[in-house]
Amino acid sequence: MILSLFQRVQAMPASIAIRESIWLYPVIESAHVLGMCVFLGFIVMMDLRLVSATMRSAPVTEVQQRLFPWQMAGLVVMVVSGTLLVFTEPMRFYYNPFARVKLVLLVLAGINALAFHWGPYRRVAEWDHQAVPPGQVRLAGVASIVLWAAIVTCGRLIAYNWFN
Amino acid sequence: MSLLHVFEWFEATSVGAMIRQSTWMFPVIEAMHLLALALIGGAVLVVDLRLFGWGLRRMSVRQLASDAQPWMVGSLIMMIITGVLLMLSEAIKCYYNVAFWWKMGFLAVAIIYTFTVRRRVIAMDDGRLGPLGARVAAAASVILWSGVGISGRAIGFY
């Protein structure tokens, strides 16, 4: 079912148009990379606070609340540009193992974020001002960093047709 | 000893050859370049954002910059190491690539700017400089580093 959807998108005029444009694909790809600097940059700064590696004097809630809007703006850029990238060459992404692993990792990163916010973060008042948050919190931070590092790596490796 | 000779020498290094001949080395080093890019993005932007008067406003500029500094410096070192390795593996291509030289130009100015003007603006901590000065300084930082990033991306398209 997904295969036939991807096949149909591959044949769409809009998809073909981007594929054949000299400049459109590079622009979308560049937006994806530069958006990553904003999105992932601020995610990592928050994670570094969670693992007590930086901004230790700032309450965690302050870091979270003040960076969140920018993280979300960055996320919009990432999702839109990422979707466009797949839209441009759906069949290539469909068969690419790194693309599939990246998608799974993205879901895991999302689950990790939600689990943190609906779990340990609910009781943030207890450890908000601590330079070193509780173990569970630090674990969520480490998991986030590891997952996103893997996501970026997989994303880069998609371009290499090692498994064709 | 022309610049071309220097880049021919780069191309001929055993490190460059090793990366060139390997299937996986270039992509892995490139991925590390990207990861360091995300980190330097966060470390630089969080302070520039603060200079604009946004983001982590409750923290003093000086404290935030001091906290971000080790991560900015560490990721910059990582960018340079991975960048040099990538360059060594395709030095001649870089030499003839317009975007590569734009990137080097932006990089030199960005580094000098960050460790001189921007450092002083941060030390003033809004006191003497005023919000407009801080915003100009932050805008310059964003523009310079964006220049590095965009021309870096453009290398692949020439």
Side-chain angles (χ1 to χ4, degrees), chain B residues 47-138:
Chain B
V47 174
D48 286 342
L49 206 61
R50 174 65 186 85
L51 285 170
F52 270 112
W54 300 330
L56 295 159
R57 286 198 303 244
R58 290 251 207 92
M59 283 185 88
S60 74
V61 171
R62 205 180 302 172
Q63 179 64 52
L64 184 59
S66 165
D67 287 340
Q69 169 99 338
W71 299 98
M72 179 181 75
V73 172
S75 57
L76 180 59
I77 290 172
M78 194 57 183
M79 293 298 287
I80 291 172
I81 291 175
T82 50
V84 167
L85 288 173
L86 292 171
M87 183 275 293
L88 288 176
S89 75
E90 45 175 31
I92 295 299
K93 178 190 158 196
C94 288
Y95 177 81
Y96 286 111
N97 191 304
V98 168
F100 174 77
W101 291 108
W102 275 97
K103 182 176 182 178
M104 291 303 107
F106 270 115
L107 183 61
V109 176
I111 289 177
I112 293 169
Y113 175 77
T114 299
F115 291 100
T116 56
V117 179
R118 187 177 180 263
R119 170 180 276 185
R120 254 173 240 141
V121 169
I122 287 167
M124 285 184 207
D125 217 333
D126 278 349
R128 274 158 33 213
L129 194 64
L132 180 61
R135 288 179 179 198
V136 169

Side-chain angles (χ1 to χ4, degrees), chain A residues 25-27 29-30 33-34 36-38 40-42 44-45 48 53-59 62-64 66-67 70 148-150 152-153 156-157 160 162, chain B residues 23-24 26-28 30-32 34-35 37-39 41-43 45-47 49 53-59 63-64 67-68 71 146 149-150 153-154 157:
Chain A
Y25 191 86
V27 165
E29 201 178 16
S30 302
V33 174
L34 294 173
M36 179 203 73
C37 293
V38 176
L40 191 54
F42 286 153
V44 169
M45 292 311 284
L48 289 176
T54 193
M55 300 183 288
R56 296 154 66 106
S57 61
E62 190 181 313
V63 177
Q64 157 65 22
R66 304 303 331 205
L67 290 185
W70 301 94
W148 283 110
V152 170
T153 305
R156 182 74 275 258
L157 296 180
Y160 291 87
W162 290 333
Chain B
T23 323
W24 59 269
F26 189 95
V28 167
E30 209 177 9
M32 289 164 71
L34 274 180
L35 292 174
L37 176 64
L39 187 52
L45 284 174
V46 87
V47 174
L49 206 61
W54 300 330
L56 295 159
R57 286 198 303 244
R58 290 251 207 92
M59 283 185 88
Q63 179 64 52
L64 184 59
D67 287 340
W71 299 98
S146 298
I150 292 171
R153 263 278 60 222
F157 297 128

